Every structure is written in structure tokens, then in C-alpha cells.
């Protein structure tokens, strides 16, 4: 199953079908639908369309909610008509009705001016063209939604590649950190021995403590220190989180919220690693890990 980004764009156009016996009004009438999508915690829909097609909003909303789960989606719907469509051929019933209305008005208002050709054509437009555009608008919207899904899938593939690359780098950093702890403990043990010896010599008590006792005390201090800086548990949990993220990316589907939670856990482990680090090498590894995790967070926020 694919991984979908919440970022994408698509557009589609459709021409109105010619109605039987009424070819002129439908000629040249068409609809263009544009869909823009950005990341959002939930599915947030916004519609920009002419008032004549506002009645289509429930159908368009149903179409979008059936195919999309998350994202801030803006749908723009525009109509186009050429000169013939803008000035349709008046129908006889329309002209008869208009003549009767004009006669009635002039009967009551003798000084009223007769209708001009422009006014008559404007009146004869009616709502017939808008009605014929409904199907064209829905057809364009369906095509546009499929285009948006394809665009989001392509962007999702790019995000997966970026996240997989970051996972590899985090594993490399974890592998570098694991052998550093014993080395740090060994260096600290040597420092303890040296400092104890210096302290005893300064106090004139070098002879009062045997070499074995001195070593035992240093080893005890080093063991306590090793417990404080042990990051094996953090590295183990970090590896487990990376395994789960990789599994989700390969499985695909609606994984954005689960990935967001796992990224928080990765950040927690990297922070703990940094707080326990007493060596410059471990501190640098922790900083690099947090940079990579933050980069992953930015990408995961765009995944559906």
C-alpha cells in the first residue's frame, strides 16, 4: 500500500454535454476544477465556486471525504463560456413569456421603455446553462480527485525515501555510540585511580591503603559511574522505534499519526542519551541524532 503525502495539486476540465434540441446554449460551456492540498491534523475542506454551482457543494464534499482522510483541501471551480455560450439562442417559450410580461408592465406603466435586445438576451439566459454544467463539474471533480491522489502518492514516495535515509543514518550513529560507553568507563576508572593516589599522597596516607584496596575503591566508583552513563537501554529502544517506523513505511496506508508518535519517542531517547553523555563523542552523537529526528518530524507532518 502506498504512503500518501498531504501536499499536492491537481486540475481537470470538462465540457458541458449538449442537450437534445438545445445545441446552441451548451456550445462552448465548460468547467475547470483545481485542488490544492497541504498538511493538517484533520480533513479540512474549503470550496471556491460560482454561486450558480453552489448547490453542488454537498456532492463535492461527499466525493472528497470518500477518498481523502487528512489535509487542508481547497477546491476551486471555475466556469468558461465562449461567445456563443455567453449569448444563447433564445427559445420561443422564453420570448413569448417575456413579451407577455412586457405587455403587462406597459399596460400598467405606459411610460415604461421597451426592452432592448441586450436585456432580452440577459433574461433568456435563465438557469439552463448552469443546470447542464452540473454533470460537467462533477466529472471534472472526479478526475481532479484522482489526479490529486496520484500527486500525493508521488510526494509520499519522496517522503519515504527521505525518512529511510534518515533511519540509516540514525542506525549508524547508534552503532557508533554503543562501543563508546565501555571506553568512557575505562578512562574514568583510570582517572579515579590516579586521583585517589594523588589524594592519598597529599594526605601522607599512601602507606595506609594497600594497592588492592585502592583499586577496589576505584572499581566501585567506576561501576557506579558506569550505571549512571549506561545508554544501552536507550539505544535498544531507539533501535526498536526505528524498526517500527521502517515497518510502517513499507506497509503504507494512513500512518501519519502513528509515525508522529514514534518520532516523539525517538526524540525522547536522543534527549536521554544526551543527558547521560559525559564524553564529548557521545554528546556529539546525541546532537546529530536530534538533528536527524527533527528533520524526520518535519517530513512526517506531511504524511497522511
Amino acid at each position: 500500500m502506498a504512503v500518501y503525502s498531504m501536499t499536492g495539486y491537481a486540475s481537470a476540465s470538462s465540457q458541458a454535454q449538449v442537450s437534445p434540441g438545445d445545441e446552441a446554449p451548451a456550445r462552448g460551456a465548460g468547467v475547470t476544477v483545481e485542488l490544492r492540498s497541504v498538511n493538517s491534523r484533520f480533513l479540512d475542506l474549503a470550496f471556491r465556486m460560482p454561486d450558480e454551482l453552489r448547490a453542488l457543494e454537498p456532492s463535492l464534499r461527499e466525493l472528497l471525504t470518500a477518498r481523502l482522510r487528512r489535509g487542508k483541501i481547497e477546491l476551486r471551480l471555475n466556469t468558461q463560456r465562449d461567445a456563443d455560450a455567453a449569448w444563447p439562442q433564445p427559445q420561443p417559450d422564453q420570448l413569448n413569456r417575456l413579451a407577455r410580461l412586457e405587455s403587462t408592465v406597459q399596460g400598467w406603466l405606459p411610460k415604461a421603455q421597451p426592452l432592448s435586445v441586450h436585456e432580452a438576451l440577459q433574461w433568456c439566459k435563465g438557469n439552463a446553462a448552469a443546470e447542464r454544467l452540473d454533470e460537467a463539474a462533477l466529472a471534472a471533480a472526479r478526475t481532479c480527485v484522482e489526479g490529486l491522489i496520484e500527486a500525493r502518492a508521488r510526494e509520499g514516495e519522496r517522503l519515504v525515501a527521505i525518512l529511510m535515509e534518515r533511519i540509516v543514518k540514525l542506525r549508524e550513529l547508534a552503532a557508533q555510540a554503543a562501543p563508546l560507553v565501555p571506553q568512557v568507563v575505562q578512562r574514568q576508572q583510570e582517572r579515579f585511580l590516579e586521583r585517589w593516589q594523588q589524594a592519598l599522597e597529599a594526605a601522607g596516607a599512601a602507606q595506609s591503603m594497600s594497592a588492592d584496596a585502592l583499586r577496589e575503591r576505584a572499581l566501585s566508583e567506576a561501576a557506579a559511574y558506569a550505571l549512571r552513563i549506561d545508554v544501552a537501554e536507550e539505544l535498544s529502544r531507539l533501535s526498536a522505534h526505528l524498526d517500527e517506523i521502517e515497518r510502517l513505511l513499507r506497509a503504507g496506508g494512513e500512518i501519519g499519526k502513528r509515525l508522529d508518535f514514534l518520532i516523539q519517542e525517538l526524540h525522547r531517547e536522543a534527549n536521554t542519551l544526551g543527558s547521560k553523555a559525559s564524553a564529548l563523542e557521545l554528546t556529539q552523537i546525541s546532537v546529530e541524532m536530534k538533528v536527524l529526528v527533527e528533520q524526520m518530524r518535519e517530513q512526517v507532518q506531511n504524511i497522511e
Side-chain angles (χ1 to χ4, degrees):
M1 189 178 297
V3 173
Y4 294 96
S5 169
M6 286 185 284
T7 302
Y9 171 83
S11 65
S13 299
S14 179
Q15 294 297 116
Q17 297 296 322
V18 177
S19 300
D22 188 20
E23 297 183 359
R27 190 187 308 129
V31 177
T32 297
V33 175
E34 291 180 299
L35 282 171
R36 291 180 174 86
S37 174
V38 295
N39 63 315
S40 175
R41 293 183 61 190
F42 308 103
L43 183 61
D44 183 8
L45 303 179
F47 297 90
R48 307 285 186 268
M49 63 179 69
D51 290 338
E52 60 183 311
L53 295 175
R54 183 61 63 177
L56 291 178
E57 183 173 328
S59 299
L60 294 172
R61 185 178 296 274
E62 182 180 356
L63 176 63
L64 292 173
T65 54
R67 302 301 308 276
L68 305 170
R69 294 293 178 268
R70 290 179 64 198
K72 184 175 182 180
I73 314 293
E74 181 185 41
L75 184 148
R76 288 185 176 272
L77 193 155
N78 298 306
T79 59
Q80 306 90 31
R81 295 183 178 90
D82 61 18
D84 289 336
W87 301 107
Q89 179 70 33
Q91 301 302 301
D93 58 336
Q94 291 178 317
L95 293 176
N96 288 333
R97 185 183 179 194
L98 184 58
R100 291 195 302 269
L101 290 173
E102 183 181 26
S103 178
T104 301
V105 170
Q106 289 181 338
W108 286 92
L109 302 172
K111 294 184 179 181
Q113 295 293 323
L115 290 172
S116 67
V117 174
H118 176 79
E119 292 168 337
L121 289 174
Q122 288 285 359
W123 190 87
C124 289
K125 279 186 178 180
N127 295 320
E131 293 173 358
R132 283 192 298 275
L133 285 176
D134 288 358
E135 286 302 321
L138 291 174
R142 285 190 285 268
T143 303
C144 195
V145 168
E146 296 301 324
L148 180 65
I149 291 173
E150 292 176 3
R152 285 164 59 125
R154 290 192 299 270
E155 181 68 13
E157 290 179 2
R158 190 182 69 84
L159 294 180
V160 169
I162 293 174
L163 291 172
M164 287 296 191
E165 180 184 351
R166 300 299 186 274
I167 289 174
V168 171
K169 292 182 178 179
L170 283 171
R171 291 190 190 280
E172 292 174 353
L173 290 174
Q176 295 173 19
L180 289 178
V181 175
Q183 298 175 12
V184 172
V185 172
Q186 178 64 31
R187 290 200 300 268
Q188 194 66 21
Q189 178 181 331
E190 294 172 357
R191 292 195 189 98
F192 283 146
L193 287 170
E194 182 180 350
R195 289 174 182 173
W196 272 103
Q197 185 65 40
Q198 291 174 353
L200 290 174
E201 289 177 356
Q207 303 301 323
S208 63
M209 181 174 289
S210 66
D212 290 340
L214 180 63
R215 182 173 181 79
E216 182 179 352
R217 184 62 180 271
L219 290 175
S220 176
E221 294 289 341
Y225 175 77
L227 290 175
R228 291 198 303 272
I229 70 167
D230 184 26
V231 294
E233 186 177 352
E234 285 74 17
L235 293 177
S236 177
R237 285 198 296 265
L238 186 141
S239 178
H241 296 328
L242 292 177
D243 290 342
E244 180 63 12
I245 291 174
E246 190 170 356
R247 186 191 70 80
L248 289 174
L249 291 174
R250 295 188 187 282
E254 299 170 22
I255 59 175
K257 292 183 178 179
R258 283 180 287 178
L259 287 177
D260 189 56
F261 171 76
L262 290 170
I263 292 298
Q264 294 178 26
E265 295 302 307
L266 281 181
H267 195 268
R268 191 194 314 277
E269 303 306 334
N271 270 336
T272 305
L273 179 65
S275 64
K276 286 187 173 183
S278 60
L280 180 61
E281 299 94 326
L282 283 173
T283 301
Q284 291 174 340
I285 288 176
S286 172
V287 171
E288 292 180 22
M289 280 185 171
K290 285 189 279 190
V291 170
L292 290 172
V293 171
E294 189 60 32
Q295 291 174 351
M296 292 178 70
R297 184 199 304 276
E298 293 175 359
Q299 304 302 328
V300 164
Q301 288 176 351
N302 288 321
I303 293 180
E304 186 178 39

